[in-house]
Every structure is written in structure tokens, then in C-alpha cells.
Amino acid sequence: CIGLLEHNGGNVLDPASWEKAPGCALRGVEGVFDPSAPSATVSPAGREAWLIFDAKDSPSGGKDGRKMRAQKFQWDT
């Protein structure tokens, strides 16, 4: 899974200013394995948030079989 870091204040370049949140921000689901390299962006009109990442279609194969994916998402508290 892909974790989530939370800024706890201070200099954003200082590793001590960040804490790893419990759980996963992005986890593989049926047919999607080993998600990695996430990047968030917004649609050209600015009304939708999208997560761009790569993942595999199979749990085997090492780094082979990775594909780029895009998934719309929403922020919550």
C-alpha cells in the first residue's frame, strides 16, 4: 500500500516535521497490485481531483507488467 505523511508544523524540508499516518492512503484492490509512484492533479477545469499512479495486474512478475492508471478521488476530513 501507499502510506500518507502528515505535516505537523515547522520546516517542510525537515523530516522531523512529518509523521506517517496509520493505515494506507492507497491500497491495491481486486485486479490491482502493488500501487506506487502516486501523483495528485486536478482536471483542466479544476473541478475534479485525479490520482495518477502505476500498478500491476498480477501479484507476480516483479516490476514487469506495470501500467499507468488514473483514478478520480475526493478529499475528506
Side-chain angles (χ1 to χ4, degrees):
C1 79
I2 293 173
L4 178 66
L5 293 177
E6 295 183 42
H7 184 242
N8 62 20
N11 183 343
V12 296
L13 299 178
D14 182 0
S17 296
W18 297 88
E19 293 180 37
K20 186 174 180 181
C24 296
L26 179 65
R27 176 187 311 275
V29 295
E30 185 176 333
V32 179
F33 299 90
D34 195 21
S36 67
S39 179
T41 189
V42 295
S43 65
R47 292 189 290 256
E48 298 174 337
W50 287 84
L51 187 66
I52 311 299
F53 62 100
D54 69 278
K56 300 187 301 183
D57 293 332
S58 163
S60 62
K63 293 185 185 255
D64 294 336
R66 298 193 79 77
K67 296 178 182 175
M68 293 305 297
R69 298 164 187 260
Q71 180 176 332
K72 190 164 75 168
F73 74 98
Q74 294 179 323
W75 297 101
D76 64 25
T77 57

